[in-house]
Amino acid sequence: MAAGARDALDDESLQELRSQATRLLLKEDWAGYIGVCSRIVDGAATDRRVLCSALAHRADARARLGDFPGALADCDSALAADPTHPAALLAKGALLRGLGRYAPAADCFRGALSAGGGADEVRELLEQCRRLEAQARSGAVDLSDWVLAGFPGKCPDLAEHVGPVEVRRSAHGGRGVFAVKSVEAGGTLMISKAVAIGRGVIPDAADGGEKMVVWKDFVDKVLDAAEKCPRTASLIYNLSTGDEQDHELTVPDMALFKQQPEELGHSLSEAEGQDVLDVDRIMKVLDVNCLTEDAASADLLGSSGVVNCGVGLWILPSLINHSCHPNARRTHVGDHAIVHASRDIKAGEEVTFPYFDVLTPVGKRREAARAWGFECRCDRCRFEAEDTVLKQELVRSENELVNGGDMGALVVRLEDKMRKSMVERRKAFLRASFWSAYSALFDNSRLVRKWGRRVPSEAVIAESVASGVGGCESVLKAMLRGTNDGNGNGCGNRLEVEDKVVRIGRATYGKVVKRQAMRALFKFTLESDNNKSL
C-alpha cells in the first residue's frame, strides 16, 4: 500500500462511497460530500484515475464553501498525478475564473479542450475568459446586446478593473481616491465586485423591520466572506471605522486592490493560522462604508425592477469621498459597481460621488451629511452657505419649497436673481439645489403656460444641472422630455441636441453601451417610474 493511504478500496466499497456522494450532492451537503471524497482519495492512492476524479470533485465542493486554498491544492494534486485530467483542469479553470485570474483559467480550459475534445460549453468558457481578461486590463464594458435584448436572464459577467486612480491623502481630511491622469466624462475609473450585497423588496419605504432583515442578511454575508478569505478580511480592516483621527488612517498600497496572480497565490496560502475575526471592528466599518445600490441604475441595469432595497460593500469605491459637486457616478450591474467620470476629470483631481441626493437645497444636504457623520466642505456647499447676499434668498426659497406654493414663481425669482450677476457654474449649482421646483414647474402644463416664457427651457435647465452635478436619471429624463417635446429652445440644432443628450447619457451610465443601445436606455429611462438619483 502506498505511503499515506489507509485502506485500499475494493470495487464494492468504492461503489458504496460513490452512492453516498451522489446522495450528498443532491442535498448540497458540501461538508459531507467533502468527507466522502476524502475517504475515496485516501483509499485510491494507487488508482490514478479514481484519485484525480475524487480530488477534482472535492475541489469543487471546497470552492462552494469558500475554501479556495484547499480547492486549489486539490486541483494541483490531481494535475500533478495526471497533467491532462479533464475534470481537474475544468475544476481549476472554474476556480481561477471565479478568483479573477482569467489568463491562467483560460490555459486550464484550453488544456481541457485538448484532453477531452471540443465541448461547446468549455469553448464558451474559454472565450469568456479571454473577454474578461481584456476587460480587466482596459475597463471597457459593452452591454449593448444585453440592453437591446431587454435585459434577459442574469446580468452579464464583468471583470474587476482598477483604472487611472490611486488612494492619497485628501485636502478635506482622511483619504480619498485621485485621478492619476485626465479622464473624459463617461470614462471608466474602476469596476468593483461587492464583498457582499443584501437585497430585498420593501413594500413601504418606512418599513424599518423589513430593512433590518435585509441588513442582518447582508452583515452575515460580509462576516462569512471575511472568515473564508483572509485577503478579504485584510481589505475590510483597511477601511475606516469612523473612530480614527485623519492622521491615523494609512494610505493603502494600490497593489492591494489588484489581484495579480502571484500576489493572490501568496495571500491564499496564508489562509490558515489567522486570528479570529474582529466582528466589532467590521461592524463599525460597515456603518460608515456601505453604499446603497443606486435605485434607478440598479433597476435598469441590475435587478430589472425586482429589488427596491439594496446595500453592499465595495472596497475601493468605499474610499471615494462625497461631494455635492461630484465628478463621478456609479452604475450597478448585478453585484458589480462601475464607477465612471460623470464630467471631465483632470489629472490630480480628487474623485468624488454623492452619498445622498444632491438635487436638494444646502440645508437638507447638510442634514444628510451630518447623518453620515461628516460636514461637506465642497465648493458648492461653501458658495451656498457663505454668500451673505444670497443666503437670505436661499432660506426663503427653501422654506417655500418645503411649505408648498407656486413653484413657477419661485423658479422665476431665482432665475431673475441669477441673471443679474451670476456665472454659469453657480447658476448650475442653484438650479440643482432647487431641482424639485423646476421639475414641478415643467411637470405642470398650467405653470408652464403661466411662467414658461420667463425661464429657460427644460432641456437647457437639465443641461445646466448636469454640468454642475453630473448626469443622473432624473436630469436625463428632463433633457429627453424637453427635446422630445420640441421644447429644447436654445440647445442648438437637431444634431447638437442629440450630442448633448448622448453626453448626459454617458455622464449618467458611463460608456457601457454603444450609441444604438444608448437609445434603448433612454427609452427605459423615460418609461421608468423610478427617477431617484444617488
Side-chain angles (χ1 to χ4, degrees):
M1 185 179 294
R6 290 191 279 274
D7 297 320
L9 295 172
D10 56 31
D11 289 343
E12 185 176 349
S13 299
L14 179 59
Q15 187 58 42
E16 174 58 28
L17 286 174
R18 282 174 169 168
S19 296
Q20 290 181 33
T22 299
R23 290 193 293 271
L24 293 166
L25 184 64
L26 292 172
K27 294 179 181 178
E28 297 188 358
D29 181 354
W30 303 117
Y33 186 78
I34 289 170
V36 173
C37 287
S38 297
R39 290 172 62 188
I40 297 175
V41 168
D42 290 339
T46 58
D47 188 330
R48 188 175 65 177
R49 180 180 59 83
V50 174
L51 174 67
C52 290
S53 180
L55 284 168
H57 289 139
R58 189 171 71 178
D60 178 67
R62 282 180 164 167
R64 290 175 183 272
L65 291 179
D67 180 9
F68 302 121
L72 276 176
D74 277 347
C75 290
D76 289 339
S77 295
L79 293 172
D82 181 358
T84 62
H85 193 275
L89 286 166
L90 285 172
K92 186 171 183 179
L95 180 63
L96 292 172
R97 177 191 171 282
L99 292 171
R101 297 174 63 182
Y102 303 113
D107 291 340
C108 290
F109 293 134
R110 195 177 294 108
L113 277 175
S114 299
D120 290 341
E121 183 178 353
V122 181
R123 290 184 186 279
E124 184 178 340
L125 288 170
L126 176 58
E127 182 56 35
Q128 187 181 73
C129 282
R130 289 171 176 162
R131 177 179 62 80
L132 291 172
E133 173 66 15
Q135 188 185 102
R137 290 195 305 269
S138 68
V141 175
D142 186 2
L143 304 177
S144 299
D145 292 342
W146 185 55
V147 171
L148 289 170
F151 312 107
K154 67 174 186 178
C155 298
D157 289 318
L158 298 178
E160 291 199 277
H161 166 74
V162 178
V165 297
E166 66 180 17
V167 181
R168 301 176 187 168
R169 294 284 177 192
S170 173
H172 300 297
R175 305 168 295 191
V177 175
F178 290 77
V180 297
K181 66 179 184 180
S182 297
V183 181
E184 67 176 9
T188 300
L189 297 166
M190 64 187 73
I191 304 173
S192 179
K193 185 176 182 180
V195 172
I197 289 181
R199 295 189 177 106
V201 178
I202 310 299
D204 182 352
D207 193 337
E210 288 284 350
K211 286 189 176 180
M212 284 304 299
V213 171
V214 172
W215 176 256
K216 183 181 183 305
D217 173 64
F218 163 66
V219 170
D220 289 344
K221 289 178 181 177
V222 172
L223 294 177
D224 184 57
E227 187 173 28
K228 287 176 178 176
C229 180
R231 180 179 180 276
T232 298
S234 176
L235 288 170
I236 293 173
Y237 291 150
N238 255 282
L239 298 177
S240 172
T241 63
D243 293 336
E244 309 95 338
Q245 298 297 316
D246 286 347
H247 68 275
E248 295 175 331
L249 293 169
T250 60
V251 176
D253 189 328
M254 287 304 294
L256 283 172
F257 307 105
K258 300 176 181 179
Q259 290 192 359
Q260 301 298 332
E262 61 278 4
E263 295 166 353
L264 182 58
H266 176 68
S267 67
L268 290 174
S269 68
E270 298 173 348
E272 297 181 0
Q274 296 293 314
D275 294 332
V276 176
L277 287 182
D278 187 342
V279 176
D280 288 341
R281 180 177 176 182
I282 291 176
M283 292 298 293
K284 289 181 178 180
V285 165
L286 296 183
D287 280 341
V288 296
N289 289 280
C290 289
L291 298 170
T292 56
E293 287 187 292
D294 173 39
S297 77
D299 283 345
L300 286 174
L301 294 170
S303 15
S304 299
V306 175
V307 175
N308 59 24
C309 176
V311 60
L313 178 65
W314 292 267
I315 298 292
L316 185 53
S318 294
L319 291 166
I320 296 176
N321 287 321
H322 166 88
S323 173
C324 296
H325 176 214
N327 55 22
R329 176 181 166 86
R330 61 187 188 273
T331 296
H332 293 272
V333 180
D335 289 352
H336 286 81
I338 304 174
V339 181
H340 64 269
S342 60
R343 51 186 175 84
D344 293 345
I345 300 177
K346 297 178 181 178
E349 185 178 351
E350 182 171 1
V351 176
T352 57
F353 56 43
Y355 290 3
F356 45 79
D357 184 5
V358 295
L359 295 178
T360 57
V362 64
K364 281 190 172 294
R365 299 201 310 273
R366 284 191 157 183
E367 289 177 11
R370 281 194 292 269
W372 274 82
F374 69 91
E375 178 184 353
C376 184
R377 298 190 293 271
C378 71
D379 52 354
R380 178 183 168 196
C381 283
R382 291 198 305 272
F383 156 62
E384 293 183 29
E386 297 172 5
D387 189 315
T388 54
V389 176
L390 184 64
K391 192 171 184 179
Q392 187 174 354
E393 176 61 37
L394 292 184
V395 170
R396 175 188 173 189
S397 297
E398 190 168 348
N399 288 335
E400 289 182 18
L401 199 62
V402 172
N403 298 322
D406 189 332
M407 293 297 101
L410 189 159
V411 166
V412 168
R413 193 172 68 247
L414 283 174
E415 287 293 326
D416 288 343
K417 176 79 66 178
M418 288 187 279
R419 194 175 294 116
K420 294 176 181 177
S421 60
M422 201 168 291
V423 298
E424 287 301 320
R425 187 185 188 199
R426 292 190 169 186
K427 289 181 183 179
F429 288 164
L430 289 186
R431 286 165 175 164
S433 293
F434 292 91
W435 177 252
S436 60
Y438 284 92
S439 296
L441 167 61
F442 292 118
D443 284 342
N444 188 310
S445 57
R446 181 184 61 81
L447 291 179
V448 170
R449 287 193 300 271
K450 181 178 180 182
W451 300 105
R453 293 185 179 182
R454 296 182 60 183
V455 299
S457 71
E458 185 173 22
V460 169
I461 295 296
E463 184 183 10
S464 172
V465 171
S467 72
V469 299
C472 69
E473 276 86 358
S474 60
V475 174
L476 175 59
K477 192 171 184 177
M479 184 70 174
L480 289 166
R481 187 173 62 176
T483 55
N484 288 344
D485 289 346
N487 191 26
N489 298 328
C491 276
N493 62 39
R494 184 181 62 81
L495 291 178
E496 290 175 337
V497 169
E498 183 177 351
D499 283 343
K500 290 175 181 178
V501 170
V502 170
R503 191 159 59 246
I504 295 180
R506 295 288 186 218
T508 302
Y509 297 115
K511 296 180 179 180
V512 297
V513 293
K514 295 176 182 175
R515 187 168 285 229
Q516 183 181 1
M518 180 65 77
R519 292 192 182 96
L521 271 180
F522 292 163
K523 180 175 180 290
F524 289 123
T525 298
L526 283 173
E527 292 175 349
S528 175
D529 290 330
N530 189 344
N531 63 352
K532 295 179 182 177
S533 62
L534 283 175

